[in-house]
Amino acid sequence: MRTFVGPSEDDSMYQYTNDQEFVTQINRALESVVRARISANSEAFTIEGDELYNMFVGSGTACKNLNSLKRYIISNKDQLPTLVNQDGVIKNALLNYLQEYSADGTNHQIDRIVLANSSMNNDRYTESILISAFDELLTSEDEYVRDVAESLARYAYFTSYDNRGVNSFFHLVPMWWKI
């Protein structure tokens, strides 16, 4: 795999590299810049400790909000035809991908959202579909749908800080929303 790394010294040709370690280092540096911009420049990520706590514990957790959103969409299928079909089945790929698991008080003390399958196994096509589905929620004409989508984006950030992992999904948030 050849990766573009910038113009050559004489600016007449471009340089490419096959050095995976170099490409990985550049990628990490770029990700760090994006993360720094996200946390420094976005009001969405400046939350108080209580709000962060409530994201995981209590009556308004991200998990419960996701569950409520799915019920809301199904009960309003006539007003939200792009998100649910007339049989009451949710069509939005992201909503089907995110699975809510409420705390049980024994093994799991906090509510959490897990993915239908590991984000590490997604191909580019699947990732594109999921990003488009997230965009659909964030740009919905319905204010409640938009609000919950934004809370899901914040939850995704605070649970992984954009580090890739089995149940992380901040990488699916459209770039326009991140910055």
Side-chain angles (χ1 to χ4, degrees):
M1 176 177 147
R2 289 177 9 137
T3 304
F4 173 73
V5 294
S8 64
E9 290 179 16
D10 64 4
D11 283 335
S12 64
M13 300 182 69
Y14 294 98
Q15 287 184 312
Y16 292 88
T17 183
N18 291 330
D19 184 348
Q20 282 298 116
E21 185 176 335
F22 176 75
V23 172
T24 300
Q25 289 174 351
I26 293 292
N27 188 47
R28 285 184 186 145
L30 291 172
E31 286 177 353
S32 294
V33 169
V34 169
R35 279 191 209 115
R37 285 192 67 191
I38 288 168
S39 60
N41 296 326
S42 178
E43 290 180 28
F45 300 109
T46 53
I47 64 175
E48 300 295 322
D50 288 343
E51 191 176 349
L52 184 60
Y53 178 80
N54 293 335
M55 191 178 286
F56 301 98
V57 178
S59 61
T61 66
C63 173
K64 288 180 178 74
N65 288 340
L66 175 60
N67 191 353
S68 294
L69 177 62
K70 289 179 179 181
R71 286 195 321 269
Y72 174 81
I73 289 170
I74 291 169
S75 66
N76 292 286
K77 63 183 176 188
D78 293 332
Q79 291 80 26
L80 302 166
T82 62
L83 300 176
V84 64
N85 65 27
Q86 289 303 309
D87 295 330
V89 176
I90 292 177
K91 298 188 295 187
N92 183 276
L94 183 74
L95 294 176
N96 291 323
Y97 187 63
L98 302 177
Q99 307 294 308
E100 57 276 7
Y101 283 90
S102 296
D104 61 13
T106 55
N107 294 332
H108 302 287
Q109 300 297 322
I110 62 172
D111 287 351
R112 65 195 197 290
I113 296 173
V114 299
L115 308 180
N117 57 32
S118 171
S119 67
M120 306 299 280
N121 296 332
N122 291 340
D123 57 24
R124 287 183 183 177
Y125 176 74
T126 301
E127 297 267 311
S128 293
I129 289 172
L130 293 168
I131 292 168
S132 293
F134 217 138
D135 185 77
E136 178 182 28
L137 298 175
L138 289 166
T139 59
S140 174
E141 291 183 13
D142 188 285
E143 183 179 5
Y144 179 70
V145 173
R146 283 193 319 271
D147 288 347
V148 174
E150 289 190 11
S151 73
L152 288 171
R154 285 190 300 277
Y155 171 88
Y157 179 73
F158 285 112
T159 56
S160 69
Y161 295 101
D162 202 23
N163 293 316
R164 294 296 293 259
V166 175
N167 286 312
S168 65
F169 61 98
F170 189 69
H171 63 285
L172 301 176
V173 177
M175 190 58 70
W176 67 263
W177 192 88
K178 292 178 181 180
I179 46 180

